[in-house]
Amino acid sequence: MNLDELIYYLDGGNDSELFARSAAAKSQGVGNQTHPRGLIELSNICPKDCYYCGIRQPNKEINRYQMKFEDIVAAADFAHANNYGSIAIQAGEQQSPQFTQLITDVLTELQTRHSPPLGITLSLGEQTKETYAQWRLAGAHRYLLRIETSNEKLYYTLKPNTPKHLFNNRLQSLKDLRECDYHVGSGVMIGLPNQTTTDLANDLLFLKNLDVDMCGMGPYIKHHNAPLQDSKQSINERITLTIRMIALLRIMMPNINIVATTALQTLDENGYKKGLNAGANVLMPNITPPKYCVDYNLYDNKQYVDILSEDFNIEWGNLGDSPHYIARTK
Ligand code: 5AD
C-alpha cells in the first residue's frame, strides 16, 4: 500500500473493506490462534527522560524496584506452570554491567529449567551490540524496541534531544538486533500530540521497510506525572485509529506477529478483542508479582485482564514464533 492509500484508510475511507481484507490476511498469514506471552516487568529503574512515560528518571513519586534473580525465575516458573509457551521480560533502559549480567544469568537458568524452554522476548531498550549478542547467546530470541514514532522531528517532542536519546541510536539498535539474529519487533504510539495521519501512515511504511517480525502499537495515554500533554484525540478516536493501524499493518505484513496492547485494553474494556479482530494475534498479560507491578505504571489506569476466556482463542503451550522470521531466515 502506498502513502495515499494508507491515509485514505486511516481517515476511515472504507472500514468494512479494510477489516475484511485484514481478516483474510490474518487467517492466511498467521492463522486465527492467539499466542500469549507472560509479561514480567523486571524493574522500573530507568535513566531516561521520555516525556510521555511514567517511569522516567525525573519522576520522584514512584517507588523504584528491581526484581531479584529468584523472583524473576519464580515468575517464569509461574508462566511455565500455567502453560505459557513464552514470556516477555521488560524493564527500564538500564545499561550497566550488573544489569547485563543479571539478565544473562536469568536467561542461562531458563534454558535448562523447563523442558522445552520457554520462548523469551526481551524489551529492555537500547543496549550495546555486545550486550544484545550476549543475551542472544544466553537464550533470548526475540526483542521488542519501539521506535515510538518514525518522524524524527516528532520524536524530539517525546524525548529531549540529548546524547542519551538520539533517534539515530534507536535506529542503530534496531539494526544491531537484526544483525544479532533476533526476531525483531518495533512499534509506535498512536494519538500523540502533534502527530498527523501522514505520520501514522509513514510509521506503517517504516515498519514495512524495517521488515519487522513483530509489532506492538498502542494508543498514547497521559501519565499524571509525565510532562507530555494529553492527546488531542478522544478516547474513541484513538481506539479507532489503533485498530485501523493494526488492520493496515496486517494487510501489509500478513505473517508477522502483532500484539493487541494493554494500552488499547486500558482505553476500551473490549480492547484486546477489538485488536485481535482487527488483525493482532498476540496478547501479553501481566504476570509480574503484585507487590512489584503496582509501581510499573507507564501511563494512568493501566489494566490487568485475564485472558482465560474462550473469546481470545488462545493457543497455550506453544512458542508462537513469527512466521515472518522463519520465512526470512530459511
Ligand atoms: N502511553 C502509551 N504507551 C506508553 N508507553 C510508555 N508510556 C506510554 C504512555 N504514556 C509505551 C512505549 C514503550 C512501551 C514499553 O510502553 O511505547 O515503548
Side-chain angles (χ1 to χ4, degrees):
M1 267 199 257
N2 65 33
L3 189 70
D4 288 340
E5 286 175 276
L6 293 171
I7 292 172
Y8 167 79
Y9 285 112
L10 285 173
D11 283 339
N14 193 338
D15 274 343
S16 55
E17 184 180 276
L18 171 64
F19 294 118
R21 284 177 67 185
S22 76
K26 178 176 171 180
S27 68
Q28 176 256 315
V30 289
N32 289 315
Q33 301 278 70
T34 303
H35 304 296
R37 284 84 172 83
L39 176 64
I40 303 171
E41 294 161 335
L42 181 137
S43 171
N44 64 0
I45 299 170
C46 191
K48 295 205 150 179
D49 303 348
C50 307
Y51 299 136
Y52 50 85
C53 185
I55 66 167
R56 61 198 300 266
Q57 187 192 39
N59 182 8
K60 300 287 178 251
E61 314 255 303
I62 58 169
N63 202 4
R64 301 285 169 174
Y65 72 89
Q66 180 159 307
M67 288 171 69
K68 300 265 176 283
F69 176 88
E70 292 74 26
D71 292 338
I72 304 163
V73 169
D77 285 346
F78 172 89
H80 186 258
N82 286 278
N83 218 6
Y84 282 87
S86 291
I87 57 171
I89 296 177
Q90 187 172 90
E93 297 200 11
Q94 284 188 67
Q95 298 172 334
S96 72
Q98 295 84 332
F99 185 73
T100 303
Q101 194 58 47
L102 171 69
I103 300 300
T104 303
D105 292 345
V106 168
L107 293 169
T108 306
E109 170 66 19
L110 294 184
Q111 288 328 291
T112 52
R113 195 172 175 88
H114 310 117
S115 176
L118 292 162
I120 304 180
T121 309
L122 298 179
S123 176
L124 303 171
E126 292 166 38
Q127 303 285 344
T128 63
K129 192 171 182 185
E130 290 67 38
T131 299
Y132 288 147
Q134 180 174 325
W135 290 341
R136 179 75 180 89
L137 205 64
H141 72 293
R142 315 181 182 119
Y143 206 103
L144 295 172
L145 182 71
R146 289 190 182 176
I147 191 69
E148 313 297 0
T149 173
S150 63
N151 176 337
E152 185 167 358
K153 219 172 137 215
L154 186 61
Y155 189 87
Y156 288 120
T157 69
L158 305 179
K159 313 192 185 223
N161 190 343
T162 60
K164 236 179 6 187
H165 299 87
L166 296 180
F167 182 74
N168 282 335
N169 289 353
R170 211 155 179 92
L171 289 181
Q172 185 61 47
S173 286
L174 285 164
K175 237 193 228 161
D176 291 344
L177 287 164
R178 172 111 172 188
E179 282 172 16
C180 290
D181 190 35
Y182 282 92
H183 305 208
V184 178
S186 194
V188 298
M189 287 183 287
I190 298 163
L192 294 162
N194 302 312
Q195 186 182 44
T196 64
T197 313
T198 306
D199 290 327
L200 290 170
N202 278 320
D203 287 341
L204 293 168
L205 295 171
F206 171 88
L207 293 165
K208 171 83 182 165
N209 186 42
L210 200 63
D211 198 29
V212 291
D213 302 301
M214 315 180 294
C215 178
M217 316 181 266
Y220 163 61
I221 303 171
K222 168 80 183 148
H223 184 280
H224 64 281
N225 269 330
L228 190 69
Q229 63 189 106
D230 205 345
S231 177
K232 294 196 185 74
Q233 272 137 348
S234 70
I235 288 176
N236 280 331
E237 285 170 323
R238 271 174 283 160
I239 294 166
T240 304
L241 259 184
T242 300
I243 61 177
R244 286 184 190 140
M245 287 286 284
I246 291 172
L248 286 165
L249 190 65
R250 173 58 69 203
I251 295 166
M252 295 164 79
M253 306 188 79
N255 63 354
I256 66 169
N257 279 349
I258 302 179
V259 189
T261 61
T262 303
L264 181 58
Q265 177 69 31
T266 295
L267 290 192
D268 185 326
E269 60 177 1
N270 296 314
Y272 280 160
K273 190 68 195 155
K274 287 185 181 173
L276 295 174
N277 286 344
N281 68 326
V282 172
L283 291 177
M284 296 172 65
N286 205 308
I287 60 162
T288 311
K291 68 170 169 172
Y292 296 118
C293 73
V294 291
D295 292 312
Y296 200 88
N297 282 325
L298 303 180
Y299 44 81
D300 291 337
N301 298 318
K302 204 169 124 209
Q303 296 296 299
Y304 300 92
V305 173
D306 105 57
I307 56 163
L308 292 176
S309 154
E310 303 260 310
D311 272 10
F312 297 126
N313 203 18
I314 302 275
E315 183 173 84
W316 294 100
N318 276 333
L319 280 178
D321 275 332
S322 163
H324 181 268
Y325 174 88
I326 298 165
R328 79 172 166 84
T329 52
K330 206 157 42 199

